[in-house]
Amino acid sequence: MDWRDDPGGFAMSDRELLGSTWSLSEGTWWSSSFTGDRASWGAGLDVLLGMPEADEDRLCARLVELVTPLLESIRVAPDKQIDELERPCEMPDGQRRVVRFRARRFGDPRTGGLVGIATAVGSGDEQALADVTDRYRLLVELSPNAICVHQDGVAAYVNPAAVRMLNAGSAAQIVGRPISDFLAESEVPAARKRIASLSEPGATSGRVQIMLRCLDGRPVLVEAVSVRTTWRGRPAFQVIMRDVTAERAAEAALRYQAALVAHVSNAIIATTRSGVVTSWNTAAEAIYGRSAEQAVGWPVSDVVGAPLDPAALLAAGGATEARHLRADGSALTIRLSVSQMDSGFVLVCADETALRRAQQHYATVVDALDEGVVVVGTTGLIESANPAASQILGVDETNLVGSPAAAWSLFDEAGGRLPPHTHPSTQSRRTGKAQNARLVRTARGDGRSVWLSLTSRTLNSDEDPPHPVVLSFTDVTESRAIREQLEWEATHDPLTGLANRTLLLRRLNAALHTRHRSSSIGVLFLDLDNFKIINDSLGHGVGDEVLRVVAERLRQVTRHHELVGRLGGDEFVIVSPDENEPRKVQLFTEQLRRCLIDPIEVDGRQLHIDASIGIVLSPPHDTRRASDVLRDADVAMYQAKKLGRGRCVVFDVRMRTRVQRYLHLEQDLRHAVARKQLWVAYQPIVDLHTHAIAAVEGLLRWRHPVYGTISPTEFIPLAEETDLIKEIGLHALHSAIRDLAAYRTRRRLDLQVKANLSARQLDDPHLLAAVRAALHETDLPAAALCLEITESTLMQEPAAAREVLNGLRQMGVKLAIDDFGTGYSSLAQLHDLPLNTLKIDRSFIAGLGGSSDTETLIASIVALGHALDLTVVAEGIETAEQLDTIQRLGCDHGQGFYFGKPVPIDELLETSSVGVGVQE
């Protein structure tokens, strides 16, 4: 077999040199691969080994058999070490010759082999042969490789290395035992097959890896070669074994490292000492856009697109950041580190292009924000600040960076200064918890105050404290001012600047529910008297100025802890939180009235006002709500108004009951007509000359489903105040006309009906049409209807009243002035009004018998009425004495309980003490 075509063999010049050298002696050169599958030799080897003219395969097998111990020992020997081995060989003539093999290693232990010379030591010398045998045995005994000879499947010999490999105490523990005891169970079939294939002396198996089983059961992986030999004259097998456990572990580690290098995201580049690329991993291909074939063998500077001297970089610290180029010319930002190895350098290149681009984009975005952004490090010092932060704080970035964040003076919304350990950035650094939208005030660099909405968050909460934090803040000074203005406008009266209802209720509610309150709270409800007259007569501009003056006077007379507010219109409220003595409250209200009654000068006019004041004292533990207290104060004020204005009334529970009744009646009165709760009662009016019923007066009555019969003195003023009088007045008028028309027809009576008109009804433009329609529908003669208007009503708007009364008079309706003597009408006014009847107020009749002056007044009224050609009626006659006097004084008609109480019309004749005139 020849290695001339094998680039892994030794050089041709080496073989020629060996051949020329060994030709001078009785020997020849030879070579063999470590695997034993390739060999070559010089001329004469077949004769030297006693195999003249043997074919190449037999000669190759015999050579490998003889030098196998050298193959195993020199494989692990240092470079250039020369070993020798002497082996006996049988000659064709039966003689034995000792052949000495001397060799050294070429190449590496995996792909290389041995090259050496073979020479004859001597022949026929028994002592020499014995010496060779001893040397061979010594070589086997000292061999680092385990050697075992087995015969008939049983171990016949093991060297010390084999004893150590199998973890035995001595060779006796191994010799004599089946070799299958030392093989893993799975290895036995293959081992038998290999042994069976070695049928010729000198036959050698290929190198295989097998798993042995030590005496202690521990497995060990070995590389083994089996050679057919003889032992004590009989065929046997010599097995040479090398423990490859550590080697395979190293190979696995190398494979892992190779896989790691191949799959890491960083480029790993190996170079020679001169900077030529020797290794280029997959990540380097991806980062630089060059394949390994395009990079290996080229200077590293060329393939990374930038000057790069690994030795200089290592001397400068071994790490840097550089700008490299991809194969397509695009720029790369590379974080570069270098390490030295025996043959050169290893470069680790991390592509941070995307990271740097993201950081640049982030920095650009942060710099473009209107929101201030400041990064505070773990030491509490400011590490960076964007332009917005400098602008908001009025401090240059150079002065901000490096300064302690806790040095800022921060104030809360109440104006209190925040201690440094409570600053949002300090708390976030210490606890890792975010501080969101904290509203704080600080001073700018120019001294002006600025309000900030500040948020503090950690940059990495997974780390141990103290944490680096990022502060973001927005200047809310302007928006806060706008919000405060809106808040002020929402809680204050725009005309006077006083607290409005919203703020009054809020503050009052807070005062009422103050914990452990020990004093009473006084609430004063003021309503200006006569203000409506000023507002209506002089205009709203004057009225507004009066309200502003009143507000200012109330401010001046109240104490700093008392709250003054305007509810609207001419209603004001004062809340005093510490009023324990009712007497003091009374004195305070008198002081209020004194400050209000002073003249108010507006546009050259001196105006005079007063106030009705309702007072509520809320004791500790009062469970009322603020709105309830305010309502009760309003009730007391309303009572003060009813007492004659310019009065002060302290609230009690009975007032609330009356007001609640008032409210219920007001609501129910709105539905009384539809629910048929209102009806008309009739009281007779008697002709004092004939003693017959001349007319009846229709008086409205209300039968309430809960309160029973409601007095007209209660619900008629209520109807007038709520403007319901028009609706129920027309209902009463229609009912009276309808009832009387039917009664006249049924009884054939000549009877007149009298109905009352209020001041509000005189303002009704539909009054005349309603009266005309009612008369037409019932066929009642207009002269049978007499409408009564009180004297005070006529005197309020005499011109307007005259126009309405003239319209009724033209229709044929009779008219009467009621309650005469209680107003201030003049003779001229009475003369101008189209009246038919004058009714003397009942107060005069009730006064008869007590004073002669009363009779004189009644006589004067009767004379006045007769002078104006009016029928005079006396109201309220209840006794025979009153009747006698009235008749003596000349009254025409009389009305009162003496003649009959108001009743339904069908009961009129049964209850009346007089008769009724019959129609002719």
Side-chain angles (χ1 to χ4, degrees):
M1 184 175 292
D2 198 345
W3 279 9
R4 285 173 302 200
D5 299 326
D6 186 357
F10 58 92
M12 176 65 70
S13 59
D14 291 338
R15 291 201 300 271
E16 291 174 350
L17 179 60
L18 288 170
S20 61
T21 301
W22 293 333
S23 64
L24 302 176
S25 63
E26 189 178 351
T28 187
W29 66 268
W30 62 273
S31 67
S32 173
S33 66
F34 282 125
T35 58
D37 58 348
R38 293 177 296 180
S40 62
W41 51 85
L45 183 64
D46 54 342
V47 175
L48 182 63
L49 299 182
M51 300 174 64
E53 299 181 1
D55 59 43
E56 290 187 356
D57 290 340
R58 287 183 62 212
L59 188 56
C60 178
R62 180 59 174 162
L63 173 62
V64 171
E65 177 188 7
L66 294 172
V67 300
T68 293
L70 282 177
L71 290 174
E72 296 304 322
S73 61
I74 296 181
R75 180 200 292 266
V76 295
D79 288 347
K80 301 181 181 179
Q81 177 176 314
I82 298 175
D83 284 349
E84 65 178 38
L85 173 66
E86 293 179 352
R87 298 296 301 271
C89 297
E90 188 173 347
M91 298 294 105
D93 58 2
Q95 298 292 322
R96 304 187 75 181
R97 174 186 293 173
V98 177
V99 179
R100 178 180 293 144
F101 296 91
R102 301 183 77 244
R104 66 172 176 81
R105 187 178 71 193
F106 69 87
D108 61 68
R110 294 183 59 83
T111 62
L114 301 183
V115 60
I117 59 174
T119 59
V121 174
S123 61
D125 187 346
E126 293 298 330
Q127 183 61 42
L129 183 59
D131 292 341
V132 169
T133 301
D134 289 339
R135 284 196 297 271
Y136 177 73
R137 181 178 293 109
L138 182 61
L139 178 64
V140 170
E141 290 291 327
L142 298 178
S143 171
N145 293 325
I147 299 175
C148 172
V149 176
H150 61 88
Q151 191 175 52
D152 299 328
V154 177
Y157 167 80
V158 289
N159 72 342
V163 173
R164 292 191 299 272
M165 178 181 287
L166 294 175
N167 201 24
S170 66
Q173 292 180 283
I174 302 172
V175 174
R177 295 181 60 178
I179 61 170
S180 58
D181 288 353
F182 308 104
L183 292 175
E185 187 175 350
S186 59
E187 299 283 359
V188 172
R192 289 173 177 169
K193 187 176 180 179
R194 282 193 301 272
I195 292 171
S197 66
L198 303 177
S199 57
E200 296 293 331
T204 305
S205 69
R207 293 182 181 276
V208 295
Q209 289 185 0
I210 61 175
M211 186 67 70
L212 296 185
R213 185 171 56 195
C214 299
L215 291 182
D216 59 2
R218 177 175 55 86
V220 58
L221 182 66
V222 300
E223 185 179 74
V225 175
S226 296
V227 180
R228 176 74 177 265
T229 184
T230 58
W231 178 260
R232 296 180 178 175
R234 295 178 54 226
F237 299 91
Q238 179 179 284
V239 183
I240 304 167
M241 298 169 287
R242 183 169 60 89
D243 187 348
V244 295
T245 303
E247 182 179 322
R248 294 298 175 262
E251 290 176 353
L254 289 174
R255 286 194 300 272
Y256 172 77
Q257 292 173 1
L260 186 64
V261 169
H263 292 90
V264 293
S265 59
N266 293 337
I268 298 179
I269 305 169
T271 71
T272 64
R273 293 187 179 277
S274 59
V276 175
V277 176
T278 59
S279 177
W280 184 266
N281 72 340
T282 304
E285 293 180 339
I287 292 173
Y288 290 98
R290 300 177 188 271
S291 66
E293 290 76 7
Q294 295 172 317
V296 173
W298 288 85
V300 68
S301 296
D302 293 350
V303 294
V304 301
L308 178 56
D309 184 348
L313 178 58
L314 184 63
T320 188
E321 186 173 292
R323 182 178 182 273
H324 291 177
L325 296 177
R326 281 176 55 87
D328 59 8
S330 57
L332 298 170
T333 301
I334 300 296
R335 180 168 49 82
L336 181 65
S337 62
V338 61
S339 298
Q340 189 172 9
M341 59 182 183
D342 292 341
S343 59
F345 301 95
V346 174
L347 302 170
V348 179
C349 305
D351 183 6
E352 297 193 346
T353 307
L355 175 62
R356 292 294 181 267
R357 186 181 296 115
Q359 290 174 340
Q360 184 178 4
H361 290 172
Y362 171 78
T364 303
V365 170
V366 170
D367 287 348
L369 290 175
D370 293 331
E371 185 177 20
V373 178
V374 170
V375 175
V376 180
T378 57
T379 61
L381 299 180
I382 297 175
E383 295 181 350
S384 65
N386 71 339
S390 298
Q391 182 179 1
I392 292 172
L393 299 175
V395 180
D396 292 338
E397 181 182 358
T398 54
N399 294 328
L400 271 177
V401 174
S403 66
W408 294 2
S409 294
L410 300 182
F411 301 85
D412 59 21
E413 291 188 87
R417 184 168 184 169
L418 297 179
H421 71 275
T422 66
H423 283 200
S425 63
T426 305
Q427 291 184 338
S428 294
R429 279 195 308 113
R430 187 177 66 251
T431 66
K433 295 180 179 179
Q435 301 285 316
N436 295 318
R438 289 279 301 275
L439 191 61
V440 296
R441 176 174 59 84
T442 189
R444 285 170 43 90
D446 56 12
R448 291 190 295 113
S449 291
V450 58
W451 282 96
L452 305 177
S453 176
L454 187 148
T455 295
S456 174
R457 292 188 179 90
T458 59
L459 287 175
N460 188 355
S461 58
D462 295 333
E463 297 177 353
D464 293 332
H467 302 277
V469 299
V470 57
L471 296 177
S472 58
F473 47 88
T474 305
D475 183 354
V476 295
T477 307
E478 183 177 354
S479 61
R480 178 180 169 84
I482 294 172
R483 181 168 61 84
E484 289 177 345
Q485 178 63 29
L486 292 175
E487 174 68 17
W488 190 93
E489 292 175 356
T491 55
H492 289 78
D493 172 45
L495 178 63
T496 63
L498 298 178
N500 64 6
R501 178 183 292 272
T502 299
L503 184 56
L504 276 169
L505 289 174
R506 184 188 304 168
R507 295 277 184 86
L508 178 56
N509 190 66
L512 289 171
H513 295 92
T514 300
R515 299 185 66 181
H516 311 300
R517 178 163 66 94
S518 59
S519 60
S520 295
I521 297 173
V523 179
L524 285 69
F525 196 114
L526 290 77
D527 186 273
L528 302 183
D529 298 331
N530 302 322
F531 177 75
K532 186 176 186 305
I533 297 174
I534 294 173
N535 212 32
D536 293 345
S537 60
L538 300 180
H540 291 284
V542 174
D544 289 348
E545 184 59 30
V546 170
L547 293 174
R548 281 191 285 266
V549 172
V550 168
E552 185 56 35
R553 289 182 179 181
L554 293 178
R555 279 196 194 96
Q556 292 175 357
V557 78
T558 52
R559 294 167 291 180
H560 71 279
H561 63 284
E562 295 171 329
L563 179 64
V564 184
R566 177 181 174 229
L567 296 182
D570 58 351
E571 295 179 340
F572 295 84
V573 172
I574 297 174
V575 178
S576 181
D578 55 352
E579 297 295 348
N580 286 324
E581 300 180 17
R583 178 58 183 162
K584 287 177 60 178
V585 180
Q586 293 285 354
L587 292 175
F588 180 48
T589 57
E590 292 174 7
Q591 184 182 3
L592 288 175
R593 288 192 57 239
R594 283 197 300 270
C595 83
L596 293 177
I597 62 178
D598 288 343
I600 298 174
E601 186 168 342
V602 180
D603 295 338
R605 294 187 180 89
Q606 282 197 341
L607 305 176
H608 297 271
I609 61 170
D610 203 339
S612 299
I613 304 175
I615 304 169
V616 170
L617 291 176
S618 172
H621 312 297
D622 190 349
T623 59
R624 286 177 292 179
R625 297 174 301 177
S627 57
D628 297 334
V629 174
L630 203 60
R631 175 205 61 201
D632 292 343
D634 190 9
V635 168
M637 181 276 297
Y638 181 78
Q639 186 66 22
K641 280 253 188 236
K642 291 180 66 176
L643 294 177
R645 305 178 186 275
R647 303 289 184 91
C648 302
V649 172
V650 178
F651 174 81
D652 62 38
V653 177
R654 289 172 296 177
M655 289 182 193
R656 185 190 303 156
T657 303
R658 287 195 296 270
V659 170
Q660 289 174 344
R661 174 183 170 91
Y662 176 89
L663 293 175
H664 291 158
L665 291 179
E666 177 190 345
Q667 293 299 319
D668 293 344
L669 186 59
R670 297 181 184 277
H671 309 288
V673 173
R675 294 171 180 171
K676 298 181 180 181
Q677 297 172 358
L678 296 177
W679 61 283
V680 179
Y682 298 92
Q683 187 176 34
I685 300 175
V686 179
D687 188 333
L688 298 182
H689 301 294
T690 65
H691 299 287
I693 298 176
V696 293
E697 181 176 4
L699 301 170
L700 193 61
R701 295 291 183 264
W702 184 12
R703 189 179 293 109
H704 193 277
V706 175
Y707 299 116
T709 300
I710 308 298
S711 170
T713 58
E714 183 175 6
F715 76 82
I716 293 298
L718 176 62
E720 290 179 341
E721 290 176 9
T722 58
D723 211 30
L724 290 172
I725 192 65
K726 292 181 181 180
E727 178 186 355
I728 67 173
L730 285 177
H731 170 72
L733 181 60
H734 276 273
S735 298
I737 292 174
R738 184 181 63 250
D739 289 348
L740 188 68
Y743 193 76
R744 280 166 56 98
T745 302
R746 188 168 61 253
R747 298 284 187 139
R748 297 180 59 81
L749 298 175
D750 185 9
L751 202 60
Q752 187 184 57
V753 63
K754 296 181 183 292
N756 293 285
L757 286 180
S758 70
R760 294 289 182 91
Q761 287 179 281
L762 289 179
D763 295 337
D764 188 355
H766 306 293
L767 176 64
L768 296 179
V771 172
R772 185 179 294 109
L775 294 174
H776 177 73
E777 291 173 4
T778 60
D779 290 331
L780 181 70
L785 174 64
C786 180
L787 298 177
E788 298 182 357
I789 304 97
T790 63
E791 182 183 12
S792 59
T793 298
L794 289 173
M795 293 306 103
Q796 287 179 9
E797 295 289 344
R802 186 183 303 112
E803 182 179 353
V804 175
L805 296 180
N806 284 333
L808 292 170
R809 184 66 178 270
Q810 291 173 5
M811 199 184 302
V813 175
K814 304 298 183 179
L815 300 171
I817 181 170
D818 197 9
D819 299 336
F820 188 80
T822 58
Y824 302 95
S825 58
S826 65
L827 181 62
Q829 289 172 328
L830 288 175
H831 183 269
D832 290 341
L833 292 172
L835 300 174
N836 303 100
T837 302
L838 183 151
K839 298 184 74 173
I840 302 173
D841 187 70
R842 66 179 62 249
S843 61
F844 292 101
I845 309 304
L848 288 174
S851 170
S852 59
D853 293 342
T854 303
E855 291 188 16
T856 303
L857 286 173
I858 293 175
S860 300
I861 293 172
V862 171
L864 175 62
H866 288 164
L868 295 174
D869 196 23
L870 302 177
T871 299
V872 179
V873 180
E875 290 186 291
I877 300 174
E878 296 185 359
T879 66
E881 290 76 10
Q882 291 173 340
L883 176 60
D884 292 340
T885 303
I886 288 301
Q887 285 179 317
R888 178 168 50 80
L889 293 176
C891 281
D892 301 309
H893 293 167
Q895 180 181 357
F897 286 172
Y898 181 81
F899 302 111
K901 295 181 179 181
V903 294
I905 195 166
D906 290 335
E907 301 176 13
L908 186 62
L909 293 180
E910 289 79 2
T911 58
S912 176
S913 61
V914 293
V916 181
V918 180
Q919 292 181 355
E920 298 179 357

